[in-house]
Amino acid sequence: MGDNLDGANLNSDGFETQEFILNLGPQHPSTHGVYRARLIMDGETVVSAENKVGYLHRGMEKMAEGLTFSQFTPYTSRFDYCAGALQPWAYVIALEKLGGIVVPERAEYIRVITGELNRISSHLLMVASMVLDFSAITAWTYAFNAREGVLDLLEAVTGSRLLMHYMVNGGVWADLPEGWVPKAEAELDRIIARLDDFDMLVSGNEIFLGRTKGIAPINSEEAIEFGLTGANLRASGRGLDLRRDSPYSVYDRFDFEVPVLHNGDCWDRYYIRIMETRESIKIVRQALKQLPGGDWRAKVAKVWKPAAGEAYTMIEAARGVQAYHVVSDGTAKPYRVHMRSPSFCNIGVIPEKAPGLTLQDFISFIASLDFVLGDIDR
Amino acid sequence: MELNHNDPSAPGHGSKEPTTLIKGPLHDGIEAVLDFCRGNSLWPVTFGLACCAIEMMSAGGARYDLSRFGYEVFRPSPRQADLMIVAGTVTDKMAPLLKTIYDQMPEPKYVLAMGGCAICGGPFTDSYSVVQGVDTIVPVDVYVPGCPPRPEALIDGILKIRAMLRHPELREVRFNA
Amino acid sequence: MRDINKIAAVLPKAEVRDGALVIQASEAVEVLAAVKALGGFALFDITCVDRPAGTPPASAEGAVPAYPACFELAWRIWDLSEGSKDILTIRSFIDHDRAEAPSVMAVWKSADMLEREVWDLMGIRFTGRPHLERVLNRADFEGHPLRKDFVMPKRDRFPPASWDKKAAEGGQ
């Protein structure tokens, strides 16, 4: 601080500046929902940042205590609404663990197919909204076009575009529609072509590189320390993916890579999504080939009461590792449901990394972390 | 004609009617023309709250192409917008901010409640922190049901606002279509 | 997963009970720091359950002895060593009247958000850390919603008064 009584100080250019508070959000086009950051700024530079969340807190964990186990399944889609088909997975695994239900093999495959398709749509949404924050409207329409192809496939299976209530306790809600598999294989080719277009248009773009390369790098120790998971962790040089390292469902039967990048900056966090999208397409192709016949849903009683106990299950969701803690007291309603939200833990790194960034770099930073407010606020 | 606001005999003084220079059929005619134009270029404020916001983005995308109708100019600032699409759950924490944003919009302004949550709280209506319908805070012109509504439904909702602007008598009638 | 008994052997203040380490809440910082010193661990989650008096439910792994009414606070530690991605659970049982636990923010920084969440929803006061404020609910919110004795705030609009009238007349 300078010797001025008003708290003004001189910056390196000799201009007299004064710190001020900037509330970014909750209604802001670049905060991806109702996230709010309380920034203390010195001119263009962030001095300190504070997360202010909770503007979408819907109290779903409390509502779960008033619903039956299966009634709560559709609500789980509303946590991370960008990946609605992937969301109930950890929850239904927890239920199956509590009730000792064996899921038919076909159901596991269908779960992998819809889950990975949903991961593709979620990653496409992330890269689309990230470039939208840089005002790249054209690139945004490319990514959304690719996303519509995925949503068409998912809609044919689940009947919904966004909040698919598809995975249920004991399997999936319905079988794949007739003739869907060849259609899906053809559509995947189109999705890859559209993704290539987007990749070519954006990833090497001079302006895009200028706004993302070397911005807010996070190294792997910091990432572990702050509880980062998922693509954000893998962009920091730690190749940790539950699908490979601790396979749930039938993920051990597929051959896929876990992409890892080492700089941990905004560009790495962006590009790892593109790489993961390609890997997901590989998984879907293999699953479509191996898809066995048979039942798609185990027999589960309408009024279902698991034994008293608790289950803690985790999956690799679109935004990181998501875990459910489900406690049952032997009645038809859960005693306690807790969701470990990947986005909620990921934003913990913002106050640490924001100081020193300029405001536009801060926007790149929060866009690259890819959080969803439904996931943070619950 | 010059208007003196301090003159009690000046037109509009003391009445609750908005002060306009022109009255009568000419005024109605001008307003009708303006409403016709407004109906073709509503500028929504970007106000994505939750899941429905993703479908709102899809509506602006290449497939559903909201710009066919002239509604694609999403304004980040409420001061430049005349349509508020409440897309998502309004919580107790967000409600005062929503009211502020509504108050910042210039007249004439319209509100579209998108999705079950904005209409009545939707699936979260029993929660301790969710507002049971945005119409408890601001007046709503059109309700678009769904969880979430498809982009087509949203476009249809905005077209209903256009119909309302072209035919003001429709305000009194409940839409059946 | 590393052998839990081996981990317990180097932590003098922890005992193994149905697949989890059980500690006194006041010793949390000490124990978690010792676990961190073993290497390859990361704080993953903090869960809290409001247990009623009486016999608690048996855990999935086996029966557990009866607990008094308490908050069951559990630190879920991620074992990131080679070939293992499992969760090590460190439990402690906290009195209803004195809902307090030391903050482990000094050990793992990821505890910051998680502890604020538990404070907001469950009302466990974490001591020895800055900014313990509500994170999800409004600052003027009363009560901690995930406690079992939480009373739902009255809603004045829903259900509308007309519904009550119908119910009074005996209709559905």
Side-chain angles (χ1 to χ4, degrees):
Chain A
M1 298 296 268
D3 47 9
N4 194 315
L5 286 177
D6 294 328
N9 44 356
L10 295 177
N11 70 5
S12 55
D13 301 331
F15 285 112
E16 198 175 83
T17 58
Q18 195 169 18
E19 288 181 1
F20 63 97
I21 294 170
L22 179 71
N23 273 309
L24 193 78
Q27 190 263 332
H28 188 278
S30 297
T31 52
H32 300 200
V34 283
Y35 169 78
R36 172 178 156 216
R38 187 175 176 277
L39 304 173
I40 296 178
M41 308 284 297
D42 184 5
E44 275 279 280
T45 316
V46 178
V47 174
S48 79
E50 203 183 329
N51 290 319
K52 296 276 181 187
V53 293
Y55 292 97
L56 192 55
H57 178 56
R58 306 186 265 201
M60 277 194 262
E61 288 176 6
K62 185 69 180 179
M63 291 186 74
E65 294 168 12
L67 301 165
T68 65
F69 283 97
S70 51
Q71 274 174 344
F72 186 64
T73 326
Y75 282 85
T76 55
S77 297
R78 271 97 184 147
F79 281 125
D80 176 357
Y81 42 77
C82 295
L86 206 52
Q87 286 296 300
W89 207 341
Y91 178 68
V92 294
I93 291 177
L95 298 194
E96 284 148 13
K97 210 166 151 188
L98 281 175
I101 297 164
V102 181
V103 184
E105 201 181 18
R106 186 177 171 81
E108 292 282 21
Y109 271 91
I110 299 177
R111 280 182 183 181
V112 168
I113 292 168
T114 50
E116 289 303 319
L117 281 174
N118 206 218
R119 193 188 309 275
I120 297 168
S121 81
S122 166
H123 281 354
L124 283 170
L125 183 72
M126 180 269 170
V127 293
S129 52
M130 187 170 175
V131 296
L132 188 64
D133 289 348
F134 308 149
S135 299
I137 306 263
T138 314
W140 170 73
T141 57
Y142 274 73
F144 255 65
N145 226 349
R147 185 172 170 267
E148 291 291 344
V150 189
L151 293 188
D152 279 351
L153 290 178
L154 281 171
E155 194 185 356
V157 181
T158 65
S160 170
R161 281 166 50 84
L162 195 68
L163 303 174
M164 308 89 172
H165 163 216
Y166 188 55
M167 289 181 202
V168 291
N169 185 7
V172 291
W173 182 248
D175 200 4
L176 295 177
E178 220 168 289
W180 185 80
V181 173
K183 220 170 80 186
E185 273 166 354
E187 185 63 41
L188 284 177
D189 291 333
R190 266 202 295 278
I191 292 165
I192 288 189
R194 287 168 181 169
L195 185 68
D196 286 343
D197 280 349
F198 180 84
D199 194 4
M200 215 155 62
L201 195 65
V202 174
S203 304
N205 183 295
E206 183 89 28
I207 299 168
F208 186 75
L209 287 174
R211 292 205 54 181
T212 53
K213 267 280 179 201
I215 307 295
I218 303 172
N219 63 35
S220 61
E221 285 82 37
E222 281 170 333
I224 294 280
E225 180 76 28
F226 280 97
L228 257 65
T229 49
N232 293 331
L233 179 59
R234 291 191 285 274
S236 302
R238 186 78 191 246
L240 205 156
D241 192 325
L242 286 189
R243 290 175 293 168
R244 181 196 61 187
D245 297 331
S246 161
Y248 50 95
S249 191
V250 288
Y251 272 112
D252 46 352
R253 302 184 195 175
F254 307 117
D255 171 36
F256 64 99
E257 307 262 311
V258 176
V260 183
L261 293 175
H262 294 275
N263 293 329
D265 57 3
C266 292
W267 192 85
D268 277 10
R269 282 192 287 274
Y270 150 80
Y271 199 66
I272 199 123
R273 263 90 184 184
I274 301 270
M275 291 162 86
E276 282 191 9
T277 308
R278 296 187 196 283
E279 294 304 319
S280 291
I281 291 173
K282 263 202 232 166
I283 296 175
V284 177
R285 278 192 199 286
Q286 291 172 45
L288 287 174
K289 272 212 187 73
Q290 298 175 17
L291 186 66
D295 224 355
W296 64 88
R297 193 176 178 184
K299 288 226 176 332
V300 179
K302 282 262 190 269
V303 183
W304 181 74
K305 289 181 187 170
E310 63 168 20
Y312 194 85
T313 53
M314 23 195 231
I315 64 152
E316 187 75 33
R319 273 158 192 79
V321 179
Q322 188 189 38
Y324 269 92
H325 182 218
V326 182
V327 182
S328 152
D329 57 353
T331 59
K333 292 177 181 177
Y335 185 75
R336 169 91 165 89
V337 175
H338 164 80
M339 200 267 281
R340 190 268 184 191
S341 141
S343 300
F344 186 74
C345 297
N346 286 354
I347 60 165
V349 77
I350 292 178
E352 176 83 5
K353 283 284 154 186
L357 296 178
T358 55
L359 187 59
Q360 64 267 32
D361 289 347
F362 182 76
I363 298 290
S364 318
F365 178 41
I366 61 172
S368 73
L369 281 178
D370 185 25
F371 50 79
V372 169
L373 265 293
D375 197 17
I376 294 174
D377 292 346
R378 283 159 281 174
Chain B
M1 173 182 153
E2 244 185 47
L3 191 65
N4 184 0
H5 288 280
N6 299 323
D7 181 5
S9 63
H13 186 94
S15 76
K16 280 180 185 160
E17 290 286 307
T19 311
T20 46
L21 296 183
I22 310 158
K23 286 212 161 184
L26 185 57
H27 167 259
D28 293 348
I30 291 173
E31 275 299 308
V33 171
L34 285 178
D35 272 349
F36 182 86
C37 301
R38 275 182 202 124
N40 284 325
S41 69
L42 289 166
W43 285 13
V45 57
T46 42
F47 197 52
L49 291 169
C51 334
C52 293
I54 310 291
E55 288 297 74
M56 189 166 78
M57 281 168 83
S58 291
R63 175 178 294 183
Y64 297 100
D65 200 8
L66 196 56
S67 51
R68 281 178 294 169
F69 308 99
Y71 309 137
E72 85 284 13
V73 195
F74 281 90
R75 302 311 296 176
S77 166
R79 292 173 204 281
Q80 300 164 345
D82 50 7
L83 168 66
M84 183 157 89
I85 301 174
V86 184
T89 320
V90 185
T91 60
D92 288 357
K93 200 172 177 177
M94 194 66 199
L97 297 155
L98 185 136
K99 183 77 170 71
T100 311
I101 288 166
Y102 178 78
D103 290 344
Q104 283 177 348
M105 286 164 62
E107 293 276 358
K109 52 193 168 186
Y110 314 97
V111 179
L112 189 150
M114 180 183 183
C117 296
I119 294 173
C120 68
F124 310 106
T125 191
D126 293 337
S127 172
Y128 54 84
S129 63
V130 171
V131 172
Q132 286 157 349
V134 70
D135 51 6
T136 55
I137 308 165
V138 295
V140 176
D141 293 288
V142 171
Y143 299 86
V144 180
C147 190
R150 296 178 60 88
E152 293 100 321
L154 174 64
I155 293 172
D156 183 59
I158 307 181
L159 289 178
K160 289 272 192 291
I161 292 184
R162 185 177 79 175
M164 192 181 77
L165 283 168
R166 287 189 183 172
H167 308 283
E169 67 276 11
L170 278 182
R171 264 181 191 280
E172 312 301 325
V173 190
R174 192 168 182 176
F175 281 102
N176 291 318
Chain C
M1 177 79 190
R2 284 179 257 185
D3 189 359
I4 192 165
N5 292 313
K6 276 185 194 158
I7 298 171
V10 295
L11 307 170
K13 284 169 180 165
E15 55 167 311
V16 181
R17 210 191 285 170
D18 49 75
L21 296 174
V22 179
I23 59 165
Q24 292 292 323
S26 52
E27 286 151 5
V29 179
E30 209 178 316
V31 172
L32 264 75
V35 170
K36 192 185 184 186
L38 293 174
F41 284 106
L43 181 65
F44 182 70
D45 194 2
I46 300 177
T47 59
C48 189
V49 183
D50 185 358
R51 295 280 194 199
T55 317
S59 83
E61 289 85 17
V64 283
Y67 302 116
C70 62
F71 290 111
E72 180 195 314
L73 188 68
W75 291 269
R76 311 268 168 176
I77 318 279
W78 209 4
D79 184 355
L80 297 174
S81 57
E82 200 64 41
S84 157
K85 297 290 168 281
D86 287 332
I87 291 289
L88 170 72
T89 306
I90 300 181
R91 278 211 183 93
S92 69
F93 301 97
I94 301 173
D95 277 354
H96 262 260
D97 311 328
R98 236 178 129 261
E100 249 183 34
S103 165
V104 295
M105 216 174 128
V107 186
W108 271 294
K109 284 179 185 159
S110 55
D112 181 14
M113 295 296 275
L114 296 168
E115 281 173 0
R116 279 175 70 186
E117 183 203 333
V118 174
W119 156 245
D120 187 357
L121 300 180
M122 219 31 139
I124 308 284
R125 184 175 290 281
F126 288 93
T127 52
R129 56 156 288 166
H131 307 304
L132 187 70
E133 38 191 76
R134 288 190 181 272
V135 61
L136 295 177
N137 282 306
R138 302 188 313 272
D140 60 344
F141 191 80
E142 280 174 24
H144 300 282
L146 284 175
R147 286 188 177 190
K148 289 290 173 183
D149 57 4
F150 175 72
V151 184
M152 280 280 177
K154 265 224 169 82
R155 294 280 166 180
D156 43 6
R157 179 174 172 267
F158 199 86
S162 56
W163 287 26
D164 295 339
K165 205 176 149 199
K166 256 189 203 166
E169 287 163 5
Q172 281 296 310

